[in-house]
Amino acid sequence: MTSNTKKKVTAKKYELTACRICKSQKLYPFLDLGYMPIPNGFIDKKDLNKVELNYPLRVCVCENCWLMQLQHVIPAEIMFKNYLYVPSTSKTMMNHFDQMSEETLKVAHARKDNLIIDIGSNDGALLSFFKKRGVQILGIDPAENIVQDANKRGIRTKCAFFSEEVGIETEKEFGKAKVITATNVIAHIDDIHSVIKGIKAMLHPQGVFVMEAPYVIDLIDNNEFDTIYHEHLSYFAIRPLIKLFEMYGMKVIDVRKQNIHGGTVRVYAAFENSNYEVHPRVSNFVTEETLKKLHLRTTYDEFARRVKVIKQDLVSFLKRIKKEGRSIIGYGASAKGNVLTNYCGITTELLNFIVDSTSYKHGKYTPGTHIPIFPESKLEKETPDYALLLSWNFAEEIIEKNKKYRERGGQFIITIPYLKIV
Ligand code: DWN
């Protein structure tokens, strides 16, 4: 393994002193995943010996509104200006976005001349389905490399970090939006109050804002600790989100559970004085969060204890089969996979390489652990004994597409919610 010179970064990152939503200073730290590089900081071969910036990855929970959140904030520019994650390589995600566009247009009673804005639009995967349904579209995303591609493919996209100011200028330029979407992005933004003010500025009085984010109950119940990384500043429950929208004269009108990314909530919000009724499902989520004891420290302490057991079980299993002379690779060069390998100290001493479907990542190396990334086609020619599924959230799709590898005797190692071999 190339020596990974861990440099602890002090400049520019900052430590949270108050809750991102309610500003309470009662923050309870409960899990420390150590210092590690940013989760999508894939490295070119020529840079392998350069010093890598490592940041603390510690989680706390606000004891006032019970928002789970990272204790340190890494500057967004470092993580998102040049971004290597795109959702469109997954059929599961594309089917999900297709269904989401259909559902949101129905909820908002949108017409063809209505504007739909997607915040954090990435490669335009979601907007492409809105465009197919004939409505006007606009993306907003900070990743210069991906925005360029999106515009080339006819997905009109502004390159910017979303904020109140960007919302105001976007409304002036494009008018009010009947639907504003934000999938896996609100959890990534530090100044969440600025974002909500920006959304208010762009939203039609009878419009809906729809956000998707991993659901904290699934994260805790399924031990999804590898979804805790520097990009994800907040880990949402519904109750703190209701409080956030109420601060700005908005209401959560519906919450619908989704199976993607290890368990996600699709949250609909609208202006308090709009025509939308609040669906009874909303209070069911709040009740469930009380039953799951999200308001007690022990819930988080118990989760942290399970994380340590999963790490021990996985590392000892991998070391044992390696000692028996078996070959092991990784499948899916995901951000969560980079957290798992860095937290567990899994390097090329255990995984020979990782295969991935994202062309941007081929030929690069994982941050911190420096494992080489190859196209999935490498598995057509080789049959390693085991593939550690680093993108377990796409287990069904990945296992299905690798029938031949499994017929040749290859087996998948799945770590979440507990270690199992399929
Ligand atoms: O919030 C975020 C989530 C939505 O996506 C972002 N901040 C970053 C990113 O996290 P991730 O990289 O853990 O997400 P995924 O979608 O779990 O990553 C999947 C990885 O697996 C991609 O690199 C593509 C790869 N993959 C593959 O190699 N073969 C995926 C599928 C479905 C496949 O068949």
Side-chain angles (χ1 to χ4, degrees):
M1 168 198 158
T2 323
S3 69
N4 165 28
T5 326
K6 286 201 168 195
K7 179 175 176 248
K8 295 184 178 176
V9 184
T10 49
K12 289 177 73 177
K13 82 176 185 315
Y14 79 88
E15 182 163 355
L16 221 53
T17 53
C19 171
R20 174 164 298 107
I21 286 188
C22 73
K23 305 303 178 197
S24 161
Q25 296 187 356
K26 286 173 63 191
L27 298 172
Y28 175 62
F30 61 88
L31 178 62
D32 183 349
L33 294 173
Y35 272 81
M36 60 175 81
I38 57 172
N40 272 303
F42 295 95
I43 303 173
D44 292 318
K45 190 176 179 80
K46 64 180 175 42
D47 298 329
L48 279 176
N49 287 323
K50 278 190 185 161
V51 169
E52 268 186 282
L53 300 182
N54 280 254
Y55 301 89
L57 187 55
R58 286 181 219 143
V59 211
C60 61
V61 62
C62 168
E63 296 194 88
N64 178 48
C65 75
W66 299 96
L67 174 70
M68 187 170 135
Q69 51 206 296
L70 292 191
Q71 223 172 337
H72 295 84
V73 177
I74 311 304
E77 291 72 19
I78 295 178
M79 295 190 284
F80 301 114
K81 282 304 268 181
N82 179 46
Y83 200 49
L84 292 184
Y85 169 77
V86 288
S88 54
T89 59
S90 154
K91 285 201 193 79
T92 308
M93 276 318 292
M94 297 307 273
N95 294 338
H96 175 80
F97 283 148
D98 195 2
Q99 182 277 336
M100 179 175 179
S101 62
E102 172 127 24
E103 179 184 292
T104 50
L105 292 179
K106 268 202 195 106
V107 171
H109 309 295
R111 298 192 317 270
K112 297 263 190 240
D113 60 341
N114 284 147
L115 175 63
I116 312 303
I117 297 178
D118 186 27
I119 298 169
S121 52
N122 196 288
D123 60 357
L126 174 57
L127 284 173
S128 65
F129 292 105
F130 281 115
K131 185 173 182 179
K132 206 172 75 174
R133 290 179 164 83
V135 291
Q136 309 309 307
I137 61 163
L138 174 70
I140 301 174
D141 195 283
E144 291 158 357
N145 58 322
I146 296 178
V147 165
Q148 208 174 16
D149 292 354
N151 278 305
K152 274 188 201 142
R153 283 184 291 104
I155 305 290
R156 182 175 56 172
T157 307
K158 275 177 79 155
C159 190
F161 282 99
F162 189 70
S163 64
E164 180 182 12
E165 189 195 346
V166 169
I168 292 167
E169 76 190 26
T170 302
E171 193 276 333
K172 285 203 181 86
E173 199 178 341
F174 297 95
K176 297 285 186 194
K178 196 71 180 348
V179 177
I180 299 173
T181 52
T183 60
N184 295 299
V185 61
I186 303 298
H188 298 50
I189 298 176
D190 185 23
D191 188 347
I192 200 165
H193 291 270
S194 173
V195 165
I196 302 298
K197 289 180 212 162
I199 288 163
K200 278 192 72 174
M202 300 191 305
L203 190 62
H204 183 283
Q206 296 302 335
V208 289
F209 169 61
V210 199
M211 63 175 277
E212 283 195 345
Y215 190 35
V216 72
I217 285 187
D218 292 298
L219 189 157
I220 291 172
D221 277 359
N222 301 325
N223 307 319
E224 298 169 4
F225 71 92
D226 53 354
T227 63
I228 295 171
Y229 43 80
H230 294 115
E231 292 184 8
H232 292 171
L233 296 174
S234 303
Y235 301 83
F236 290 119
I238 299 305
R239 203 161 40 155
L241 279 175
I242 291 172
K243 184 189 266 271
L244 174 67
F245 286 112
E246 280 173 352
M247 290 177 187
Y248 294 97
M250 295 181 75
K251 57 187 175 184
V252 172
I253 56 171
D254 198 359
V255 182
R256 302 188 190 192
K257 202 65 200 310
Q258 309 294 317
N259 289 329
I260 49 132
H261 291 307
T264 288
V265 277
R266 178 177 296 162
V267 182
Y268 285 87
F271 285 113
E272 185 57 54
N273 55 8
S274 67
N275 300 336
Y276 297 97
E277 298 293 320
V278 177
H279 195 286
R281 269 193 288 261
V282 177
S283 56
N284 296 347
F285 274 86
V286 176
T287 308
E288 175 71 5
E289 290 169 7
T290 307
L291 293 174
K292 287 282 181 180
K293 301 187 174 64
L294 290 191
H295 57 292
L296 298 180
R297 284 186 174 189
T298 46
T299 306
Y300 304 91
D301 291 337
E302 267 304 297
F303 169 71
R305 191 188 56 74
R306 295 196 300 273
V307 169
K308 293 178 181 78
V309 170
I310 289 173
K311 172 179 174 177
Q312 282 155 13
D313 289 356
L314 175 62
V315 173
S316 47
F317 174 72
L318 294 178
K319 283 184 175 168
R320 179 165 61 76
I321 59 176
K322 193 75 184 172
K323 217 165 153 199
E324 290 166 1
R326 307 300 182 83
S327 53
I328 320 167
I329 64 152
Y331 202 114
S334 57
K336 60 175 74 66
N338 294 333
V339 170
L340 183 82
T341 52
N342 275 285
Y343 175 59
C344 297
I346 296 170
T347 64
T348 45
E349 285 163 5
L350 287 170
L351 300 187
N352 301 343
F353 56 84
I354 293 173
V355 294
D356 191 281
S357 59
T358 315
S359 55
Y360 290 117
K361 298 179 183 177
H362 296 159
K364 290 185 183 292
Y365 292 73
T366 53
T369 46
H370 299 180
I371 302 168
I373 302 165
F374 292 92
E376 291 172 298
S377 53
K378 192 171 172 69
L379 272 197
E380 289 158 18
K381 303 182 239 356
E382 301 179 30
T383 310
D385 296 306
Y386 292 97
L388 175 61
L389 190 50
L390 298 169
S391 300
W392 45 262
N393 49 320
F394 293 124
E396 202 176 313
E397 179 176 350
I398 291 173
I399 290 171
E400 175 56 32
K401 88 188 319 187
N402 285 281
K403 242 189 241 142
K404 289 205 174 67
Y405 164 65
R406 295 179 70 224
E407 281 161 7
R408 297 198 310 268
Q411 297 184 89
F412 280 97
I413 303 167
I414 298 182
T415 54
I416 300 287
Y418 284 104
L419 192 61
K420 59 178 178 283
I421 313 296
V422 290

